[in-house]
Amino acid sequence: MLLELFSDEAYRPMKFKELCVFLHVPREERDAFKSMLDQMFSKGLIAMTSDKRYSKPLPDLYQGIFMGSAKGFGFVRVEGMDEDIFISREDINGALHGDTVSVRVLRKSSGPRRSEGQVVSIIQRANENVVGTYDKSKKFGFVVPDNSKISKDIFVRAENSMGAVTGHKVVVKITDFGAGNKNPEGEIIQILGHADDPQTDVISVLMAYNIPVDFPDDVIKSLEKIPDTVSDGDLTGRRDLRSLPTVTIDGEDAKDLDDAITLSKEGGIYHLGVHIADVSHYVAENSPLDREALRRGTSVYLVDRVVPMLPHQLSNGICSLNEGCDRLTLSILLDIDSKGQVIGHEITPAVICVDRRMTYTAVNGIVTDRDPELMEEYRPLVPMFELMKETADVLREKRRQRGGIDFDFPESKILLNEKGFPVDIHPYERNAATKIIEDFMLIANETVAEDFFWQELPFLYRTHETPDTERIRKLVAMISGFGYSMKVGRGEVHPKEFQKLLGKIEGTPEEAMISRLALRSMKQARYTTVNSGHFGLAVKYYCHFTSPIRRYPDLQIHRIIKENLAGKLDERRQDHYRAILNDVANSTSMNERRADEAERDVEKLKKVEYMSAHLGEIYTGVISGMTNWGMYVELPNTCEGLVRLQDMDDDYYYYDEKNYTITGETLGTAYSLGQKVKVRVVSADKAERTIYFILSDEEEEGEMKDHGKKQFRDKAHRQ
């Protein structure tokens, strides 16, 4: 009926309320109707005018998110579309990075060439406020955005500068987004501090990504009703599991402990309990706490702080499974056989009491290092930790057999001083204890997802789609140059092929680069209401159930699970969830990407700051990547820097893309992936988030005088 209406020649564009009145849509059904219209719009079945009126479909018109680039062109990401649409500089029509836009496809994809399009209208602006560095002139100034994907500087008149000087980090409110080649114009509304202040840079990143830090007054006020302890009334309808030996296993610094473990074995069957904080008991649907949690979508874990999804009174208090405290949980009790198969499970609201708050370091010291002091300190629990490793090994072997992919990139551990300046950076490797918890959380998530899929109830899944054929072809072509191959059947690849590839390259010079390229060939995991499986984990059913303190989708499905267990998920409530879950899935997917980008930006900033105090110093690193403009070298401390071709001045060097080498034209000196090289740190650019090296050698290292090193360090401190 709707499609007939919108295809009718007499149809005139209408706003949402007009359309509801015209079609006699009851008020209680309008949320579902709005969701349906939005889905039709995203699929191009209907269009929307610049003043948000639904209109007849235009040919090849879609809604998506514009992603800019430092070079001026951009892409539009459309949900459900395999590839992004390329937008040339001439066809951007005033869109800025992050804007929701309407885009018309001008040329469809053909072979390796992607679709090209034109931004027709801006549906929603993402950048009312922009963070950047102020550059002052006599009568005006410009704000250079921190986000390089916003390619235009923002013009600021002198009277709108708040007295900012060159080098100040500022927040500028855009008053005119400009058009064509005209720059946006704005007024400075906040001066954050100087760009070189290490305390300023993290705040700048948070504000640049519009990540809310402070909680609104209504949220703070609602905390007054949150109890500090579990009451007898809270225990009604819950399984009492307080007598079971229970532990949490987390990092040393963790304060939001949202999962606990119990484990025993009888007759060859492992009885695993995964107990998850029952956050939904305290965060009611559509309450101020709930609305703010949805707005944030996820907690953001930065080098020097955590920006929580929920206030600390909840995340570190009554919802944290603290040692020796009664806590409410939504628990899944799993029976697992010797082959890793789940042969039975039960999901139940429960109450637990954690016996010990364990760390990854301590548990690893017991199960891997057999540390006598630790084994004595935790003697009553040692058998359970040993059983945990046994169970996790069984689960991991099952995952390996089905083709689950495990990208094991070392994370960076960055230590800061009291002023926020990094004083040490080193790799933080996963150990046996971290893998135990990963394996237990994975099996809990898989089991919950499969349970609710077969019940055919509205739900939020965590999906990871099969990689695009074209990306796989490019990856196969690249690895063939190193003597590797992957089987690709009928345009698709099985996750086992990635697993085999990672096994073959382990320990080789090209391991880091090929691993990264393999990861980039895949799609991003996201939240959806339709279960389409998880390619990377090689499973048909997957969801996020285990972290409701820090992820909104987990909190959302806890509500659905509890309503279903209580027999309250009737048709009316199912319709309610069907009406809201698409929006929840889309917004939380976007907020997750926002958090990931902010976390990466802060890590890059701190690495640049750290290396700025080591200018002139010489390191041995490994060539980790190559491009037409130079080669990237990764140091043992995980910092990566660029050696530019223009700085390799003993010859004319060029990038041989076919053989993945950088070769000197005259002398024939060649550099290849995985090769060890000595480099000297020459600069560290915070604006570009880039460290620059030049090649060094033993003779230069021997001649490097102490006073020369001091000059470089002095320069670093002046910067």
Side-chain angles (χ1 to χ4, degrees), residues 174-409:
I174 300 180
T175 55
D176 180 356
F177 284 90
N181 294 323
K182 183 184 175 185
N183 282 58
E185 183 174 343
E187 56 184 21
I188 293 174
I189 58 174
Q190 189 175 356
I191 297 174
L192 301 175
H194 199 274
D196 290 338
D197 182 352
Q199 297 290 344
T200 299
D201 53 20
V202 177
I203 292 294
S204 299
V205 171
L206 289 170
M207 298 196 75
Y209 283 100
N210 293 317
I211 294 174
V213 177
D214 298 322
F215 286 93
D217 290 342
D218 60 344
V219 172
I220 300 301
K221 187 171 179 57
S222 69
L223 295 176
E224 297 171 2
K225 299 177 183 177
I226 303 294
D228 296 326
T229 58
V230 172
S231 68
D232 291 341
D234 293 328
L235 306 185
T236 304
R238 291 182 180 272
R239 179 80 64 85
D240 191 342
L241 303 176
R242 287 176 288 187
S243 62
L244 295 179
T246 308
V247 296
T248 58
I249 307 175
D250 293 273
E252 280 81 354
D253 302 329
K255 295 182 176 63
D256 51 349
L257 315 179
D258 55 4
D259 57 82
I261 301 298
T262 58
L263 183 63
S264 61
K265 186 178 181 181
E266 294 177 88
I269 302 299
Y270 301 99
H271 302 293
L272 171 64
V274 179
H275 312 284
I276 307 302
D278 189 357
V279 179
S280 64
H281 183 81
Y282 302 100
V283 181
E285 184 178 27
N286 207 30
S287 65
L289 273 168
D290 183 49
R291 290 193 295 269
E292 182 64 16
L294 177 57
R295 185 167 80 99
R296 294 175 179 232
T298 180
S299 295
V300 185
Y301 291 82
L302 305 176
V303 171
D304 66 338
R305 73 196 71 191
V306 176
V307 182
M309 183 181 80
L310 296 168
H312 288 304
Q313 185 173 330
L314 282 168
S315 61
N316 297 358
I318 191 65
C319 291
S320 184
L321 307 182
N322 299 330
E323 181 181 317
C325 299
D326 287 353
R327 288 291 185 259
L328 306 182
T329 63
L330 187 58
S331 299
I332 180 166
L333 309 175
L334 301 135
D335 298 327
I336 302 168
D337 67 16
S338 59
K339 295 182 180 180
Q341 298 286 347
V342 176
I343 58 175
H345 77 276
E346 179 185 1
I347 306 171
T348 179
V351 56
I352 67 166
C353 184
V354 171
D355 294 286
R356 294 300 296 260
R357 190 268 201 233
M358 301 297 299
T359 65
Y360 294 128
T361 304
V363 174
N364 187 60
I366 292 168
V367 301
T368 302
D369 303 329
R370 314 298 292 172
D371 185 294
E373 290 185 11
L374 288 170
M375 294 185 76
E376 178 58 31
E377 181 180 354
Y378 301 108
R379 186 155 43 117
L381 294 169
V382 167
M384 185 166 72
F385 295 138
E386 292 171 339
L387 189 58
M388 283 183 183
K389 186 173 188 311
E390 178 185 319
T391 311
D393 288 345
V394 169
L395 292 170
R396 200 172 312 119
E397 174 59 19
K398 180 197 169 194
R399 196 163 70 250
R400 187 196 67 78
Q401 289 179 6
R402 75 186 181 212
I405 307 165
D406 188 6
F407 287 100
D408 194 7
F409 296 110

Side-chain angles (χ1 to χ4, degrees), residues 22-64:
F22 181 77
L23 293 174
H24 307 292
V25 179
R27 290 187 180 278
E28 63 271 15
E29 295 179 12
R30 290 187 180 183
D31 285 346
F33 183 57
K34 177 71 164 59
S35 179
M36 182 169 59
L37 287 172
D38 289 345
Q39 287 184 55
M40 292 174 67
F41 178 44
S42 67
K43 294 176 181 177
L45 299 174
I46 58 176
M48 186 182 288
T49 63
S50 57
D51 59 349
K52 297 190 177 181
R53 295 176 186 271
Y54 292 97
S55 68
K56 292 191 295 183
L58 298 175
D60 296 315
L61 190 70
Y62 302 92
Q63 176 183 336

Side-chain angles (χ1 to χ4, degrees), residues 20 29 46 84 146 264 277 294 359 388 459 524 528 632 635 701:
C20 288
E29 295 179 12
I46 58 176
D84 302 331
D146 281 356
S264 61
L294 177 57
T359 65
M388 283 183 183
F459 209 63
Q524 282 186 308
T528 59
Y632 289 92
L635 306 185
E701 184 177 9

Side-chain angles (χ1 to χ4, degrees), residues 400 406 408 429 435 484 498-515:
R400 187 196 67 78
D406 188 6
D408 194 7
E429 301 281 354
K435 291 177 182 178
Y484 302 110
F498 281 90
Q499 184 194 76
K500 290 177 185 176
L501 175 65
L502 295 178
K504 291 174 185 175
I505 64 175
E506 187 174 356
T508 65
E510 60 271 12
E511 179 181 7
M513 182 182 184
I514 291 180
S515 293

Side-chain angles (χ1 to χ4, degrees), residues 579-604:
I580 68 170
L581 286 182
N582 270 318
D583 287 342
V584 171
N586 292 335
S587 68
T588 52
S589 294
M590 287 190 292
N591 286 340
E592 178 189 45
R593 287 195 283 268
R594 177 181 71 173
D596 288 343
E597 289 174 9
E599 289 167 8
R600 281 194 294 267
D601 263 16
V602 170
E603 186 172 300
K604 285 180 183 178

Side-chain angles (χ1 to χ4, degrees), residues 82 464-469 491-494 521-523 532 535:
D82 287 343
H464 186 218
E465 296 171 2
T466 302
D468 294 330
T469 304
E492 288 194 358
V493 63
H494 192 276
S521 72
M522 296 185 186
K523 294 185 178 181
S532 56
F535 178 84

